[in-house]
């Protein structure tokens, strides 16, 4: 019989993501180690691995959180009546602006300028898709 998750498990995962995003922003994703994330969180490396199997899983979780926010934005706009949408900016413009703001808030806008992602957001999407395609996600 599997054990249930401890109270606070989800809160701890979110706190880890916040620390990881800050480190990714400051040092860059490639230069940030799991040891650094664990230390910033005040956890042992073994405890960190209890919450996330690797650094890629943390990056994907951060990105998924922002995609969820963007989906909610799209749903909200889509739910508005045609009259309410008159005069608003086009959805793609709003989506792009919001996506970039969410990346900046999480400290991930730097992903678009790191050497391994020089092509920008499109390349970041490819990296994330590769992560899912190889069965990691």
């Amino acid at each position: 019989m599997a054990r249930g998750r401890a109270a606070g498990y989800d809160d701890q995962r979110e706190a880890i993501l916040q620390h990881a995003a800050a480190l990714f922003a400051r040092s860059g994703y490639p230069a940030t180690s799991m040891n650094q994330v664990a230390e910033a969180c005040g956890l042992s490396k073994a405890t960190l691995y209890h919450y996330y199997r690797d650094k890629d899983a943390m990056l994907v979780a951060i990105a998924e959180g922002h995609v969820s926010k963007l989906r909610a934005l799209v749903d909200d706009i889509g739910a508005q009546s045609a009259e309410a949408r008159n005069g608003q900016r086009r959805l793609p413009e709003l989506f792009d602006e919001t996506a970039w703001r969410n990346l900046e808030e999480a400290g991930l806008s730097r992903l678009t300028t790191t050497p391994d992602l020089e092509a920008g957001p499109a390349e970041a999407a490819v990296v994330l898709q590769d992560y899912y395609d190889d069965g990691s996600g």
Side-chain angles (χ1 to χ4, degrees):
M1 179 176 190
R3 290 188 302 158
R5 290 196 171 142
Y9 180 87
D10 292 334
D11 291 339
Q12 182 64 54
R13 282 180 58 91
E14 187 59 35
I16 290 168
L17 293 182
Q18 290 175 1
H19 286 289
L23 288 168
F24 295 163
R26 185 172 51 247
S27 304
Y29 177 75
T32 301
S33 70
M34 291 293 276
N35 282 335
Q36 291 169 318
V37 175
E39 184 177 316
C41 296
L43 302 172
S44 71
K45 193 171 169 183
T47 300
L48 178 62
Y49 279 110
H50 172 72
Y51 291 96
Y52 291 99
R53 75 174 167 268
D54 56 26
K55 190 168 70 166
D56 290 342
M58 285 188 280
L59 178 62
V60 169
I62 292 166
E64 286 175 340
H66 292 291
V67 168
S68 293
K69 289 178 186 177
L70 293 171
R71 282 186 184 141
L73 173 68
V74 170
D75 290 345
D76 288 347
I77 292 172
Q80 293 176 11
S81 67
E83 300 90 45
R85 285 192 299 246
N86 287 340
Q88 286 186 342
R89 291 178 286 170
R90 294 179 356 165
L91 182 59
E93 292 170 4
L94 185 58
F95 187 85
D96 286 345
E97 179 182 304
T98 303
W100 188 254
R101 187 173 57 247
N102 284 337
L103 286 173
E104 287 177 333
E105 286 173 6
L108 295 178
S109 60
R110 183 175 177 159
L111 281 177
T112 62
T113 60
T114 57
D116 56 335
L117 297 176
E118 287 177 353
E123 182 63 19
V126 169
V127 169
L128 292 172
Q129 186 61 51
D130 288 346
Y131 179 80
Y132 282 107
D133 289 346
D134 76 4
S136 298

